[in-house]
């Protein structure tokens, strides 16, 4: 089970965070700071797995973003790495070669894709096609709602 997922830039800017276990805001900030310090300080050719506290940390750098997840000790690191990669593939499919700016300006879409893919720290949907269909349906609904809103007369 994934405990949390973080996306942050090489400059240490947090771009996305998803917590699958309840912890306090103070503890979240501490964890984020420690994860960034640990991961950003590592050499580029280092292993993508770390033991930290009572979890395994799995991370992967894609362009200017680090995708970082904490998993249980008994979980498979390679599967966690594959989960991160699948999330990047889903983002790529939706945004068309996703970049950091896509995450910054469309963070609600990035969270929606993540929620369609993972639930409660477990994989919900493995099919990229199914997640893509959900995104298309959500976009269509959003457009219809916006059109209805804009067509109403202003009083």
């Amino acid at each position: 089970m994934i405990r949390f997922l973080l996306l942050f830039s090489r400059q240490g800017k947090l771009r996305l965070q998803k917590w699958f276990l309840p912890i306090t805001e103070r503890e979240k900030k501490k964890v984020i700071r420690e994860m960034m310090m640990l991961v950003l300080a590592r050499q580029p050719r280092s292993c993508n797995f770390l033991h930290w506290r009572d979890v395994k940390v799995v991370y992967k750098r894609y362009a200017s973003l680090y995708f970082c997840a904490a998993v249980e000790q008994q979980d498979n690191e390679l599967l966690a790495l594959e989960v991160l990669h699948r999330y990047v593939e889903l983002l790529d499919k939706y945004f068309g070669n996703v970049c950091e700016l896509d995450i910054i300006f469309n963070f609600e879409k990035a969270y929606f894709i993540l929620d369609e893919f993972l639930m409660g720290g477990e994989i919900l949907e493995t099919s990229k096609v199914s997640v893509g269909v959900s995104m298309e349906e959500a976009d269509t609904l959003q457009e219809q709602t916006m059109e209805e809103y804009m067509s109403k007369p202003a009083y």
Side-chain angles (χ1 to χ4, degrees):
M1 182 183 114
I2 298 174
R3 290 192 182 184
F4 61 81
L5 183 98
L6 303 174
L7 270 68
F8 50 89
S9 69
R10 288 184 298 183
Q11 293 77 29
K13 301 282 187 193
L14 185 65
R15 299 302 182 201
L16 185 137
Q17 60 179 317
K18 186 71 173 185
W19 303 87
F20 298 106
L21 292 178
I23 62 172
T24 65
E25 287 300 316
R26 185 176 179 183
E27 183 64 20
K28 285 179 185 178
K29 287 179 183 177
K30 186 177 177 185
V31 167
I32 291 166
R33 187 172 53 251
E34 287 184 36
M35 281 298 101
M36 286 184 189
M37 284 178 19
L38 273 173
V39 172
L40 293 173
R42 294 178 61 86
Q43 295 296 318
R45 298 270 185 210
S46 297
C47 177
N48 292 44
F49 312 129
L50 296 166
H51 288 280
W52 175 76
R53 294 187 186 179
D54 61 337
V55 296
K56 293 179 193 174
V57 175
V58 178
Y59 71 93
K60 180 84 171 132
R61 181 176 156 204
Y62 291 92
S64 65
L65 285 176
Y66 284 91
F67 289 70
C68 179
V71 297
E72 304 292 337
Q73 285 290 346
Q74 68 273 11
D75 287 345
N76 185 329
E77 301 97 336
L78 294 176
L79 180 59
L81 197 59
E82 189 61 32
V83 167
L84 294 177
H85 185 69
R86 177 54 56 102
Y87 183 49
V88 171
E89 288 178 329
L90 291 167
L91 290 169
D92 267 345
K93 187 172 193 264
Y94 183 76
F95 290 111
N97 200 11
V98 68
C99 68
E100 188 175 350
L101 290 176
D102 292 322
I103 304 293
I104 293 169
F105 293 115
N106 300 291
F107 64 91
E108 71 285 347
K109 299 290 186 189
Y111 277 111
F112 188 86
I113 293 169
L114 185 60
D115 290 341
E116 287 293 311
F117 175 50
L118 296 175
M119 179 180 281
E122 302 284 340
I123 297 172
L124 175 67
E125 181 57 67
T126 57
S127 169
K128 288 188 275 188
V129 173
S130 294
V131 173
V133 167
S134 293
M135 290 302 299
E136 287 174 21
E137 290 172 353
D139 286 347
T140 302
L141 183 62
Q142 185 178 19
E143 288 170 15
Q144 289 172 346
T145 305
M146 187 57 83
E147 286 172 8
E148 289 172 13
Y149 177 76
M150 297 303 282
S151 66
K152 288 184 180 178
Y155 294 103

